[in-house]
Amino acid sequence: MRGLTVAALVVVLALPQFARGEDAAGRRRMIKERMEKRVFTNADGETLPYRLHLPEGYDPAKKYPLILFLHGAGERGDDNEAQLRNDEFLNLAAVPDHPVILVAPQCPRDQWWSAIRRTPNGLEAQLAEGGLAMKLTIQLLDAVQKEFSVDPARRYVTGLSMGGFGTFDLVLRRPKDFAAAVPICGGGDESRAAEMKETAFWVFHGGADPVVPPALSQRMVEALKKAGAEVRYTEYPGVGHNSWRWAYHEPELAAWLFSHARSQDP
């Protein structure tokens, strides 16, 4: 598709060699084992389970970037475990030069991060009032930032599938919060792309995704570009719905993410 950056097929064929395999998996396993199980409870008694990673040697006198991860539909529930099943995103917390606070909530089984409707052309995102899961996620973010030393200029959000939709949706609802966003195999409300233009995006999708059509990411990318946003798009030829397995192993992704910081209002 003209104007879009398409990853070379050789990258796809190299998946088994990602990050020398066991090394990356070992780092993710160590981070996963350290992630604290918590439950957020708001003033109305509504709850949201989440996992929290603090950088080793966390010092409250320092300011740390924060990454919010939104999982896919298959990981919904209340066990506070399943949201870490597709754990490739933990690579972003394994960069020695960038200690980071990582927050991974778990969406209830009967809910979605954002409003999605099914049409004859497939799934589409639509603007709607935020559901309970999104409301609690926003409240959780506010609470984490009060409890821990978060750099307000370096907040990031990423998600896959249902969480890819949720990533676009959250930036739309909190347009001043995030310096950069990484939505994977998702989609968003193209008509409101201009409201998200202050956040940088790197969007990923599998070219053969049978679950979420790549056109949803493509249209969001074009809308964001038209609005003047900084946006990159990587589409993996021949890859299906699990494009996060490639995206979170992109060698430039962490450096790109952490290079972004928002200017703070006086």
Side-chain angles (χ1 to χ4, degrees), residues 120-140:
N121 296 322
L123 297 174
E124 290 188 2
Q126 61 178 346
L127 181 67
E129 288 297 319
L132 179 61
M134 179 58 74
K135 180 187 79 170
L136 288 172
T137 297
I138 291 172
Q139 293 175 351
L140 165 63

Side-chain angles (χ1 to χ4, degrees), residues 15-222:
L15 175 61
Q17 302 176 19
F18 272 153
R20 294 304 175 192
E22 185 56 37
D23 289 346
R27 289 194 299 269
R28 294 198 302 270
R29 185 165 54 249
M30 289 176 60
I31 292 171
K32 188 185 297 186
E33 289 172 354
R34 291 184 60 233
M35 292 187 78
E36 181 184 355
K37 284 187 176 182
R38 289 180 154 215
V39 177
F40 170 72
T41 304
N42 69 7
D44 297 321
E46 298 163 325
T47 61
L48 184 72
Y50 71 102
R51 300 291 286 273
L52 175 73
H53 163 79
L54 294 178
E56 191 170 356
Y58 169 78
D59 180 355
K62 298 179 180 180
K63 293 289 185 181
Y64 296 89
L66 178 146
I67 296 176
L68 173 71
F69 170 71
L70 301 177
H71 63 76
E75 294 80 64
R76 289 176 294 181
D78 58 6
D79 62 357
N80 216 352
E81 292 275 356
Q83 74 265 42
L84 304 184
R85 185 177 300 148
N86 295 307
D87 67 359
E88 289 86 357
F89 75 96
L90 294 175
N91 289 338
L92 298 174
V95 182
D97 295 339
H98 296 283
V100 64
I101 296 171
L102 181 63
V103 180
Q106 185 177 28
C107 184
R109 186 168 288 106
D110 59 347
Q111 296 183 38
W112 300 78
W113 296 124
S114 60
I116 303 172
R117 62 189 176 96
R118 192 174 295 277
T119 72
N121 296 322
L123 297 174
E124 290 188 2
Q126 61 178 346
L127 181 67
E129 288 297 319
L132 179 61
M134 179 58 74
K135 180 187 79 170
L136 288 172
T137 297
I138 291 172
Q139 293 175 351
L140 165 63
L141 274 175
D142 291 342
V144 167
Q145 291 173 120
K146 289 180 180 178
E147 183 177 359
F148 298 103
S149 186
V150 174
D151 184 346
R154 295 184 298 158
R155 294 175 293 200
Y156 312 106
V157 57
T158 183
L160 57 90
S161 192
M162 179 184 78
F165 284 92
T167 297
F168 282 118
D169 190 89
L170 183 56
V171 173
L172 178 58
R173 297 181 192 280
R174 297 291 287 258
K176 297 182 181 297
D177 280 15
F178 300 101
V182 182
I184 302 172
C185 56
D189 188 340
E190 302 126 47
S191 70
R192 304 199 52 187
E195 298 174 48
M196 297 181 263
K197 68 180 182 179
E198 300 304 319
T199 298
F201 285 87
W202 191 344
V203 182
F204 295 90
H205 219 114
D209 191 329
V211 179
V212 180
L216 270 67
S217 282
Q218 294 165 2
R219 294 202 302 263
M220 276 302 302
V221 166
E222 293 304 324

